[in-house]
Amino acid sequence: MDLKKMNSLTKYPSILTYHQLGERGRLTEELSEARGFSASDDVFVYEKVDGENARIILFKNGNDIDYLIGSREELLFAKGDRIGNPYGNIAEFLRPFADQLTDRICADEDRALTVIYQESYGGKTKAAKNYTENKTQAYRVFDVFSLDKKELEHLLTLPQEKIAEWRDHGNQPFYHEAEKLDFIKTMELEYAPLLTSVKGSAFPQSLEETFSFLKQFEQTQVGIDAKGKSEGIIVRTSDRRQIRKIRFEDYERTFRK
């Protein structure tokens, strides 16, 4: 396996801010997606957990399920200590969960590759004080995608730059909302809390209305042994066609006099 290609194929794409960023990091009244959400869209609102983006990559190796663990940018660990990267505490923390998943996921299923994205938070991360007083660490899953054998084999034959192009054009086949929640529950995983859902026609568009909407979710719902401030929210359609982040720091900076 070409680990550089696997790393590129499974990196999590950047999420745009809901309003466009202007000068000095202040938001403008322009939406990143000019038309906003479609009136008939169901917009799902999740808490944005403030930690380190991490991924568990499950794949078939003969008749067994193998795995890799990565941060946002690089692979950190492979089952059996085949990769050992000391960056942060992500790999050490997620290894027990990855080991459990290899037992829970069925090796004869259609999935040749499944990537589970989670935020590893608490511990020694930057915003840990909002979640824990004892530096306890936890995780919350927020996205999943799978590839079958034919898709995976095809992608791994491509040059690395073509794989990056495939990823950057939004071609990772992320699970739809119901499929994602079903997978998470079947695998007995912790996930980012769904705070509410609204129709696209009712979702705010102006800076002021959006900030007011955001303030409903000021306290984190994933505190470990403390309940501080939330980082913000992620808003998304069921098919993930549109996904945006709305963070307190961006709106507070914009409205600061």
Side-chain angles (χ1 to χ4, degrees):
M1 180 184 294
D2 188 324
L3 291 175
K4 289 183 178 179
K5 288 185 178 181
M6 183 64 83
N7 185 40
S8 181
L9 189 153
T10 61
K11 280 184 179 180
Y12 193 69
S14 297
I15 298 176
L16 295 175
T17 54
Y18 181 57
H19 286 94
Q20 290 185 22
L21 283 170
E23 295 181 0
R24 298 181 181 179
R26 291 190 172 92
L27 299 165
T28 72
E29 284 285 355
E30 299 296 318
L31 299 178
S32 295
E33 180 77 27
R35 66 180 182 276
F37 292 107
S38 299
S40 60
D41 279 337
D42 289 315
V43 180
F44 294 87
V45 180
Y46 282 90
E47 178 172 341
K48 187 178 189 306
V49 183
D50 195 350
E52 294 177 316
N53 190 293
R55 51 194 152 134
I56 295 175
I57 304 158
L58 300 159
F59 59 96
K60 290 182 181 177
N61 188 353
N63 293 321
D64 297 322
I65 298 294
D66 207 341
Y67 69 78
L68 299 163
I69 296 173
S71 63
R72 176 184 284 277
E73 293 298 328
E74 55 189 318
L75 299 178
L76 304 176
F77 184 83
K79 184 180 178 183
D81 291 318
R82 286 168 293 150
I83 301 174
N85 186 326
Y87 173 83
N89 193 45
I90 291 173
E92 183 179 350
F93 174 65
L94 290 178
R95 277 179 64 184
F97 302 104
D99 286 328
Q100 291 169 19
L101 286 166
T102 60
D103 295 330
R104 291 174 190 162
I105 200 163
C106 186
D108 63 359
E109 289 184 359
D110 291 337
R111 305 181 187 105
L113 174 87
T114 297
V115 192
I116 303 168
Y117 297 94
Q118 58 269 306
E119 200 76 11
S120 174
Y121 70 104
K124 297 180 181 179
T125 57
K126 180 179 64 176
K129 65 180 182 181
N130 289 320
Y131 308 105
T132 176
E133 295 178 354
N134 301 316
K135 295 186 177 179
T136 306
Q137 195 166 353
Y139 76 93
R140 293 284 170 155
V141 173
F142 55 85
D143 253 322
V144 182
F145 84 74
S146 291
L147 294 170
D148 63 27
K149 183 179 179 181
K150 185 177 179 180
E151 292 169 324
L152 178 60
E153 287 178 348
H154 167 68
L155 284 164
L156 292 177
T157 64
L158 299 177
Q160 194 170 329
E161 60 271 18
K162 288 294 183 183
I163 294 174
E165 185 179 317
W166 169 86
R167 183 194 70 231
D168 292 342
H169 281 80
N171 291 312
Q172 291 166 314
F174 286 101
Y175 287 9
H176 284 215
E177 202 64 24
E179 185 184 13
K180 179 188 72 174
L181 292 176
D182 182 60
F183 176 87
I184 287 169
K185 289 175 181 177
T186 300
M187 295 295 114
E188 301 176 20
L189 298 168
E190 299 291 337
Y191 56 96
L194 176 63
L195 303 173
T196 189
S197 63
V198 298
K199 283 294 182 184
S201 57
F203 201 82
Q205 292 201 5
S206 73
L207 279 171
E208 191 170 340
E209 289 173 339
T210 303
F211 193 24
S212 178
F213 179 80
L214 177 62
K215 287 176 181 178
Q216 298 176 71
F217 314 111
E218 193 153 9
Q219 187 180 63
T220 181
Q221 300 299 304
V222 296
I224 304 165
D225 53 53
K227 267 204 168 185
K229 189 174 182 179
S230 159
E231 184 185 10
I233 56 177
I234 295 290
V235 294
R236 55 195 291 169
T237 54
S238 176
D239 59 3
R240 206 183 174 284
R241 172 182 48 80
Q242 195 168 329
I243 179 169
R244 296 290 182 265
K245 60 187 176 186
I246 300 176
R247 301 183 301 180
F248 279 100
E249 66 174 318
D250 294 330
Y251 288 83
E252 288 168 348
R253 184 188 303 115
T254 301
F255 285 103
R256 191 178 299 134
K257 292 184 178 180

